Amino acid sequence: MAPRKIAAGNWKMNGDLAALAQLDALAGAVDGRCQVVICPPALLIHPMSSKSVPGIEVGGQDCHAKASGANTGDLAAAQLRDAGATHVILGHSERRADHGETDADVSAKAVAAHQAGLVTIICVGETEGQRDGGDTLQVISQQLAGSVPDCATAENTVIAYEPVWAIGTGRTPTDDQIAEVHARIRADLSKRFADGADMALLYGGSVKAANAAQIFAIADVNGALVGGASLKAEDFAPIIAALAAA
Ligand code: PEP
């Protein structure tokens, strides 16, 4: 099995009920040649999944590692599933930075998500300082080893390489830099997991219509995790089209 192609949108803390109209506008761009997942704020998961737009799946942006309990403000993986989510983003650099999430936290959340039947989109990525210091590959390998649990398979896990300095900045790594990191991720996964060669690897960080086709032509890039450009159908549709054609 070859890795599947996935265009995933991360709406972060943007959007409201009116924004669900974007899905109607996006529907025409979805033709089954690649998987499309949108991860809206948690309150929008159920209304978004209830729209049942063919070809568009819905995901969360985080979940708790426990199944239930006294965890005010948190959401369990099974609750995301119950609301209609099929995927969940875990270990996004904004959660690692803003909420102090460690690799061990991310791994525990991933175990809970898999138990609930969710596909995890596990994020890794270096800061600008780590890249400038020549530590990128070591950082990525360390994050992968610590954040991806042993129960990961090509079916239940997707890895997103998101350089922290490229998120929301309009800056992207060179093709060679993306290729180098994706090759490392593929090698690490293939060494550790029997089906590591089949896990989908996404690039994320300032992907837009203008650079999508070039990024999707890079070896071992099986799709994208898209922030800002996933909010509007007119911006996300050409990215989906570029992936479908890749
Ligand atoms: C993200 O936050 O996952 C992301 C990739 O954001 P952007 O596309 O806006 O850089």
Side-chain angles (χ1 to χ4, degrees):
M1 159 183 136
R4 56 194 186 278
K5 298 197 282 189
I6 306 171
N10 175 13
W11 281 14
K12 309 192 186 192
M13 199 170 69
N14 299 294
D16 52 17
L17 289 170
L20 298 182
Q22 293 301 321
L23 268 71
D24 302 315
L26 203 56
V30 177
D31 63 5
R33 286 188 293 161
C34 64
Q35 214 176 335
V36 177
V37 183
I38 298 182
C39 303
L43 279 173
L44 296 179
I45 290 174
H46 189 251
M48 187 178 276
S49 67
S50 297
K51 279 179 78 74
S52 300
V53 178
I56 300 182
E57 295 177 88
V58 183
Q61 298 175 10
D62 178 47
C63 71
H64 199 277
K66 289 199 309 201
S68 64
N71 301 96
T72 302
D74 284 318
L75 289 168
Q79 292 172 320
L80 296 178
R81 190 88 181 96
D82 188 47
T86 53
H87 291 66
V88 62
I89 298 170
L90 293 175
H92 191 282
S93 61
E94 287 155 14
R95 291 209 60 88
R96 290 178 187 263
D98 299 347
H99 301 270
E101 287 189 10
T102 63
D103 291 335
D105 294 330
V106 177
S107 178
K109 289 174 181 216
V111 170
H114 293 159
Q115 281 169 352
L118 295 172
V119 175
T120 53
I121 301 173
I122 299 177
C123 303
V124 296
E126 81 285 2
T127 63
E128 188 157 32
Q130 289 166 333
R131 176 161 284 280
D132 291 346
D135 297 327
T136 298
L137 295 180
Q138 188 200 321
V139 166
I140 297 300
S141 283
Q142 200 174 317
Q143 288 181 345
L144 264 189
S147 304
V148 180
D150 289 338
C151 59
T153 67
E155 287 298 322
N156 68 19
T157 301
V158 175
I159 305 297
Y161 166 52
E162 297 209 309
V164 178
W165 53 273
I167 295 177
T169 60
R171 298 166 59 203
T172 48
T174 64
D175 292 359
D176 286 348
Q177 287 171 329
I178 296 174
E180 181 184 43
V181 174
H182 278 239
R184 168 62 76 101
I185 295 172
R186 180 66 73 210
D188 285 3
L189 294 174
S190 298
K191 223 178 285 169
R192 184 171 162 204
F193 297 102
D195 59 359
D198 301 325
M199 288 183 183
L201 309 188
L202 312 185
Y203 167 76
S206 297
V207 175
K208 47 186 187 281
N211 61 18
Q214 186 175 336
I215 290 170
F216 295 146
I218 298 170
D220 278 315
V221 174
N222 310 120
L225 179 54
V226 184
S230 71
L231 294 172
K232 293 252 174 329
E234 69 198 57
D235 297 327
F236 200 29
I239 294 172
I240 295 168
L243 182 59

